[in-house]
Amino acid sequence: MERRYLLISASMGAGHDAAADELARRLRDRGHTVLRRDLLALLPAGAGPALRSFYRTAVRRLPGLYAGIYRTFLAGGPGPRPDVSPLAAVAERPVREVVDRWRPDGVVSTFHLAAQVTGRLRARGALGVRSTVVVTDFALHRGWLHPGNDLHLCLTEAAAGAARSASGRPAVACGPVVPPGFHAPAPSPLWRDSPLGTAGRPAVLLSAGAWGVGPGLLETAGALAGHGCLPVLLCGHDRRLRHRAARLPGVLALGWVADLPGLMAAARLLVDNAAGQTAVQALAAGLPVIGYRPLTGHGAHGVREMAAAGLSFPASGPRDLLSAVDALAVPGPARDRQIARGRSAFRSDAAEYVAAPPGTAPREP
């Protein structure tokens, strides 16, 4: 039976949108109709870009401020915690207007502020259809957890257990939502004919997200080059970072990469600082992931949780990083184990739970 689904994401970086896009594709392949909306575009005029600009500036230039905001408003802790929903209240009306106009059979959030909005509406009876939250972070912070939502789909069983405990509602560990091209990637001629295919050094991807953010990226790239690797710094949309990295001897600096599956097929491992979408794409592609020099706030939290789940190797300093590279960049038992653990994270299809008939109890994968 064809149904209509409203997917609400947010253009904060690229990870939340990437998960929403892939989930939309899967639902459409099942014969359903999908409407995608960016929560930031639904906020009052100027509020969405201002929120994105503040977040980007804080993460890039004021990491201590962002860490304090995350610790105060989102991370768990003893005693009463500040309300995380004032901004969600502002977004309720425009989301409700979209729901009333389009009349979906279900609503799905892939961004934590959207989950707060749908949870508030659902708890008041202002949203009369099932609300599913697809958690895109290993760091399950309080922003994701509104008890009004019907179901949380999480990356790991630890996260699902925490969601059940905190919300009192069902939660399932179905794993990441990643396009199929990452699960069986093949190097394209573009990468075979590039320095990746001709340098004779193991290619190590160094992720900086869509915004080119991260502490010590150039220093890390230089250390990897000096260790006999080919560091491939993914600079996202940051042209200044790419220009600076391109001047480093032995470093390949790339902007936004459209053929990321092909690039991952030509690489040996990923050094990651956020445990976000690039990290889970690497797991699907069979790349071991090393968590190193994480972003403050949700980045550090996510990197810890990803490592605790056995899905990445945490490196605490340069020596740890280079030792992990030596162990994981070449064929052997350590690399095989890490690849197998990464692929085991993909337990079931999130679209199956979203599209389940109303009233169906979620089953464990």
Side-chain angles (χ1 to χ4, degrees), residues 166-189:
S167 70
R169 306 303 298 273
V172 174
C174 60
V177 179
V178 172
F182 285 95
H183 289 276
S188 68

Side-chain angles (χ1 to χ4, degrees), residues 32-70:
H32 302 302
T33 302
V34 178
L35 178 67
R36 280 263 283 106
R37 283 293 180 266
D38 181 349
L39 183 68
L40 300 191
L42 296 176
L43 294 174
L51 177 62
R52 180 170 52 240
S53 178
F54 172 78
Y55 170 68
R56 181 177 180 177
T57 300
V59 171
R60 291 172 67 95
R61 305 189 185 283
L62 302 167
L65 172 63
Y66 176 64
I69 292 172
Y70 184 84

Side-chain angles (χ1 to χ4, degrees), residues 120-201:
R120 288 165 62 97
L121 291 173
R122 191 82 168 110
R124 290 204 318 270
L127 178 62
V129 297
R130 183 169 56 196
S131 173
T132 303
V133 178
V134 176
V135 181
T136 59
D137 293 338
F138 285 94
L140 187 75
H141 56 66
R142 293 192 306 135
W144 289 107
L145 300 170
H146 194 291
N149 292 302
D150 297 273
L151 174 65
H152 286 81
L153 302 179
C154 301
L155 297 182
T156 65
E157 181 52 47
R164 287 191 291 266
S165 176
S167 70
R169 306 303 298 273
V172 174
C174 60
V177 179
V178 172
F182 285 95
H183 289 276
S188 68
L190 171 68
W191 303 118
R192 285 199 302 267
D193 299 336
S194 76
L196 274 80
T198 59
R201 293 178 287 156

